[in-house]
Amino acid sequence: MENSNSSMWFLPTTFILVGIPGLETKHIWISVPFCLMYIIIFLGNGTILHVIRTDASLHQPMYLFLAMLALAEVGVSASTLPTVLGIFLFDISEITFEACLLQMFFIHSFSIMESAVLLAMSVDRFVAIYSPLHYTAILTLPRIFSTGAVIGLKSVILMAPLPILLQRLPFCGHNALSHSYCLHPNLIHLPCGDISINNIYGLFIVTSTFGLDSLLIVVSYGLILHTVLGIATGEGKKKALNTCGSHVCAVLAYYVPMIGLSMVHRFAHHVSPLLQTTMANAYLFFPPVINPIVYSIRTKEIRRGILRMLSEKRLRV
């Protein structure tokens, strides 16, 4: 009996990725907006990284954290690019089991980094508003780089067990995924064995990273608001709040699609596959597309750096 049961399950050699459910015949047209999004992501975030790296006046805590955010967003997008463009441009819908686990690891690791950097940026804004005279003394360059290293290390350590836990589960012929890339909430529905450990550990990751980060961000902005209300002049209040505008947009762009996708995966099992795919795409693509645009428009130092870079290139030409 034991041999009979074991012969019914296996580790799949490949997974089947679905592009946009119901629109398989229109993949070549769907590839156009995806290609445009990737161009905006890599060009926009790459420009911000280049400006911050080359402009010494931007080697300050706020902009160094922004550079970390841009790196995390580039990492998420680069992780999805091979399968997304493979499906829509070349009709390649298969991915090996190992490559799928690797993609899942990188997508979620960079997402965890992105959330942690948003928290670090909220702390940065609180320190800048609460204690501006001690800002550079508190947020020194070694502390900022140490924070970045801890964020990266924490993300890798937290995500490392998930591929191992998935490899130990039995798969009984189910290997079709509902997205253009491998996400853990999607993969966890395919095994036919006991997934309680995977669910518990996945919930632990979500609560200890996204849940805790979002809670601390709310606390940070509560303290920021309390500090701003104590500023005597209306002009001072407006100036202080303006420094947080871009970061608030980044937080909303990240957490709103993520919460929506989590709700769909956990509670709306019978919703349209098209809605699930749309929510997953919004979660992964909206923040890295919108954030470079927001920071380029709302942050005058970044805007000046971009204009300076373009003028220097024009002069060289």
Side-chain angles (χ1 to χ4, degrees):
M1 186 69 181
E2 191 175 55
N3 290 337
S4 174
N5 286 338
S6 64
S7 65
M8 294 174 64
W9 67 268
F10 61 97
L11 281 178
T13 56
T14 60
F15 285 112
I16 305 299
L17 298 171
V18 177
I20 307 293
L23 299 176
E24 289 80 5
T25 59
K26 296 179 173 60
H27 276 178
I28 192 64
W29 297 107
I30 297 172
S31 69
V32 175
F34 277 97
C35 288
L36 288 174
M37 283 192 293
Y38 279 119
I39 291 171
I40 294 171
I41 289 168
F42 292 120
L43 185 61
N45 286 288
T47 299
I48 286 178
L49 285 168
H50 177 73
V51 168
I52 293 173
R53 184 181 68 85
T54 56
D55 192 336
S57 66
L58 297 179
H59 295 175
Q60 301 175 33
M62 174 183 175
Y63 305 109
L64 293 176
F65 284 129
L66 176 57
M68 292 181 197
L69 181 66
L71 278 173
E73 291 177 340
V74 167
V76 171
S77 302
S79 301
T80 64
L81 186 144
T83 53
V84 170
L85 294 190
I87 290 172
F88 294 129
L89 287 179
F90 307 107
D91 201 28
I92 301 173
S93 59
E94 288 190 348
I95 182 172
T96 65
F97 181 74
E98 293 77 11
C100 189
L101 294 185
L102 189 64
Q103 185 183 51
M104 177 201 73
F105 173 81
F106 280 117
I107 289 175
H108 290 301
S109 293
F110 282 116
S111 294
I112 292 171
M113 292 180 199
E114 193 173 351
S115 175
V117 171
L118 287 172
L119 171 58
M121 293 174 79
S122 70
V123 174
D124 164 78
R125 291 299 82 208
F126 169 68
V127 174
I129 293 171
Y130 180 76
S131 185
L133 296 179
H134 301 96
Y135 177 62
T136 55
I138 295 172
L139 294 174
T140 61
L141 289 181
R143 284 178 181 170
I144 292 169
F145 291 128
S146 297
T147 300
V150 169
I151 288 172
L153 187 62
K154 182 192 78 169
S155 304
V156 170
I157 291 174
L158 281 175
M159 276 303 302
L162 278 186
I164 299 170
L165 290 173
L166 279 170
Q167 283 182 311
R168 71 173 185 82
L169 290 173
F171 288 77
C172 305
H174 307 292
N175 68 336
L177 298 171
S178 56
H179 301 306
S180 307
Y181 29 75
C182 300
L183 298 177
H184 183 260
N186 194 195
L187 279 166
I188 201 62
H189 292 302
L190 297 184
C192 53
D194 182 13
I195 60 171
S196 57
I197 295 177
N198 299 67
N199 278 330
I200 291 170
Y201 188 70
L203 183 61
F204 167 74
I205 291 179
V206 170
T207 54
S208 64
T209 56
F210 306 116
L212 183 60
D213 291 346
S214 59
L215 176 62
L216 293 176
I217 288 172
V218 171
V219 171
S220 296
Y221 271 96
L223 295 172
I224 287 172
L225 188 59
H226 180 266
T227 304
V228 169
L229 292 176
I231 297 175
T233 65
E235 186 63 29
K237 292 178 182 178
K238 182 179 178 182
K239 184 177 179 181
L241 289 174
N242 280 341
T243 65
C244 302
S246 298
H247 181 254
V248 170
C249 292
V251 169
L252 292 175
Y254 179 80
Y255 279 105
V256 171
M258 186 193 72
I259 292 170
L261 179 62
S262 298
M263 298 291 284
V264 167
H265 272 302
R266 293 189 181 276
F267 302 111
H269 300 295
H270 303 293
V271 300
S272 164
L274 181 60
L275 176 61
Q276 292 189 32
T277 303
T278 302
M279 292 299 298
N281 288 332
Y283 162 57
L284 291 178
F285 290 99
F286 188 67
V289 167
I290 202 69
N291 284 342
I293 298 172
V294 169
Y295 274 98
S296 298
I297 293 173
R298 290 188 56 89
T299 309
K300 62 181 180 181
E301 290 81 4
I302 296 293
R303 189 167 63 248
R304 287 173 184 170
I306 293 173
L307 293 174
R308 192 181 303 116
M309 180 188 70
L310 294 175
S311 64
E312 288 175 356
K313 285 188 177 180
R314 194 179 298 114
L315 288 174
R316 282 198 291 266
V317 172

